[in-house]
Amino acid sequence: METVRGKCIFIFVESDLRWKFFTRFHKTLDVFGYEVVYVTNCLTVWIRGKLEGYNVILSKFKLFDKKIYKANIQTKSIKKEILDVEIGDVNADEAAIILTKWNDFFCSTANKYKPRVCFIYNGTSIFTYAAKKWAQNYKIKSLFFELANIDGKMFVDPWGTNAKSKAYADDVLLDTYKMGKEDFDTWLNNYRNHKKNVKQALVSRKISNIFFYAINKIWFLGYLKRKRAYVNKELKRFIYRYKKDLFKKDNKVIKLDSLKPYYLFPMQVSIDSQILLNSDVSLERAIIYAREKAKKNNVNLLIKLHPAERDNRIKAQLEKIQSDSIFVVDKECSIDDFIDNAEKIITINSTVGLEAILHDKDRSEERRVGKECRSRW
């Protein structure tokens, strides 16, 4: 690949949601004289971009490409790196071939436009991981984006997101940000009074969004050899995602006084990249730990579903473990009263960990729970 680069930015987009996110930057980048090229594997993003007059380049699969690809990447290096592989959508061997193809696609596109910078969202999906590795190999500066779980905030990092970020590797960076007590108290008061679920925590049920989602899944089939397994998995996921909520029948006001004392365990999303790629503790093992901890200390356990949980199979598993001392509440219940009245908060990568600090909950006990959870649900 040629090394001379013009004032061009590659923005890698793998979904319609990311398209809406990144196009908000377009006017500002244009003012600063950047040529913006959107690179995508998503058919509906390409259609949207063309209709709106943006420069969008679409990756095509083997039906449109006569070249036979052999993986030039070791599958071992993919382990615990790509969310699609960890949740079973794509196996490691097939992922390696797709990454090889996309690497060639990025190279040929870059030879034409000479990008100086890449904008990549998260970097854990198979498409954005391919973009991340390609940019690293050719030493193209990249910025990785992820919305924070505080409304109106986001993370932007030159290395990656979560445990792959520079901020995680060097937490001294966080100490450089200073805020006075008065400013903090003002922010905290505003946060508590106007707090709401952030947009990424909501499950869209718009017919148009469901239709676009289906189109892109069908398009992605073109990259795969294991088409039948992928279709079966997606159909099951779709059914569990949109069928009637198992906990609706129990969606009544909970009298917290009758539950005291209790520990609160807020669930994380079952396919969260931070849990699957960066944690040695699964949700299952964390729930086992929370249940045993509550039992040992003779208190009740209150489990709250994450508002973005899409898989009702998780809810079915939780329904089985409910008892006189274990209570599960659905995603529509407010979390504030639960936190205020809890004896302790047990978290695994949850915004409620931040909430617990803001509610002045005891943080004296910080332990790794991975090796303590041996039994099953």
Side-chain angles (χ1 to χ4, degrees), residues 4-135:
V4 180
R5 305 183 189 104
K7 199 173 181 181
C8 172
I9 290 180
F10 273 11
I11 299 182
F12 293 89
V13 185
E14 83 278 24
S15 71
D16 291 284
L17 185 62
R18 305 295 179 243
W19 170 257
K20 293 176 182 178
F21 172 79
F22 278 122
T23 50
R24 293 183 297 173
F25 296 106
H26 193 97
K27 288 184 178 179
T28 301
L29 294 172
D30 189 54
V31 168
F32 282 95
Y34 282 95
E35 180 184 9
V36 182
V37 178
Y38 297 92
V39 184
T40 186
N41 69 322
C42 181
L43 180 61
T44 59
V45 166
W46 179 77
I47 294 172
R48 286 175 186 268
K50 290 300 182 182
L51 291 175
E52 296 172 23
Y54 293 101
N55 187 359
V56 186
I57 311 296
L58 176 66
S59 166
K60 299 180 179 63
F61 47 78
K62 60 186 178 182
L63 179 64
F64 303 98
D65 194 340
K66 301 298 183 181
K67 182 177 178 180
I68 299 176
Y69 286 86
K70 293 184 179 180
N72 61 7
I73 184 173
Q74 293 185 350
T75 55
K76 290 182 179 179
S77 66
I78 298 174
K79 188 177 181 181
K80 297 291 283 186
E81 293 288 337
I82 302 175
L83 186 60
D84 306 71
V85 174
E86 288 301 306
I87 64 177
D89 282 357
V90 183
N91 65 34
D93 292 333
E94 200 154 34
I97 295 174
I98 294 172
L99 293 174
T100 301
K101 176 176 176 57
W102 278 338
N103 182 78
D104 287 357
F105 165 59
F106 298 153
C107 284
S108 62
T109 307
N111 278 332
K112 179 178 179 180
Y113 291 100
K114 316 296 189 297
R116 180 182 295 181
V117 180
C118 294
F119 284 4
I120 303 171
Y121 197 94
N122 202 305
T124 60
S125 70
I126 186 169
F127 185 71
T128 58
Y129 177 79
K132 175 182 178 179
K133 300 305 292 185
W134 170 79

Side-chain angles (χ1 to χ4, degrees), residues 254-262 300 327:
I254 295 178
K255 296 180 180 179
L256 294 179
D257 288 339
S258 65
L259 298 183
K260 293 180 181 178
Y262 67 85
N300 292 321
F327 304 86

Side-chain angles (χ1 to χ4, degrees), residues 97-222:
I97 295 174
I98 294 172
L99 293 174
T100 301
K101 176 176 176 57
W102 278 338
N103 182 78
D104 287 357
F105 165 59
F106 298 153
C107 284
S108 62
T109 307
N111 278 332
K112 179 178 179 180
Y113 291 100
K114 316 296 189 297
R116 180 182 295 181
V117 180
C118 294
F119 284 4
I120 303 171
Y121 197 94
N122 202 305
T124 60
S125 70
I126 186 169
F127 185 71
T128 58
Y129 177 79
K132 175 182 178 179
K133 300 305 292 185
W134 170 79
Q136 288 176 346
N137 289 339
Y138 290 100
K139 296 179 172 55
I140 301 175
K141 183 184 297 184
S142 299
L143 291 177
F144 296 86
F145 296 76
E146 186 169 40
L147 292 177
N149 285 337
I150 298 175
D151 194 39
K153 305 296 182 182
M154 69 165 46
F155 296 101
V156 182
D157 192 276
W159 288 9
T161 58
N162 295 318
K164 302 295 192 297
S165 66
K166 186 175 182 180
Y168 179 87
D170 184 9
D171 56 10
V172 175
L173 293 172
L174 302 178
D175 295 332
T176 62
Y177 184 79
K178 304 296 181 183
M179 175 180 282
K181 185 177 185 307
E182 184 177 341
D183 290 335
F184 174 76
D185 289 341
T186 300
W187 172 85
L188 180 58
N189 183 64
N190 183 67
Y191 174 78
R192 285 176 171 170
N193 291 334
H194 300 92
K195 188 180 66 173
K196 59 184 178 180
N197 282 338
V198 290
K199 292 180 179 179
Q200 67 266 31
L202 303 176
V203 179
S204 174
R205 281 179 163 79
K206 289 183 178 179
I207 298 299
S208 59
N209 289 343
I210 296 173
F211 178 69
F212 292 151
Y213 175 85
I215 288 177
N216 290 320
K217 289 298 181 180
I218 294 171
W219 177 262
F220 186 68
L221 272 176

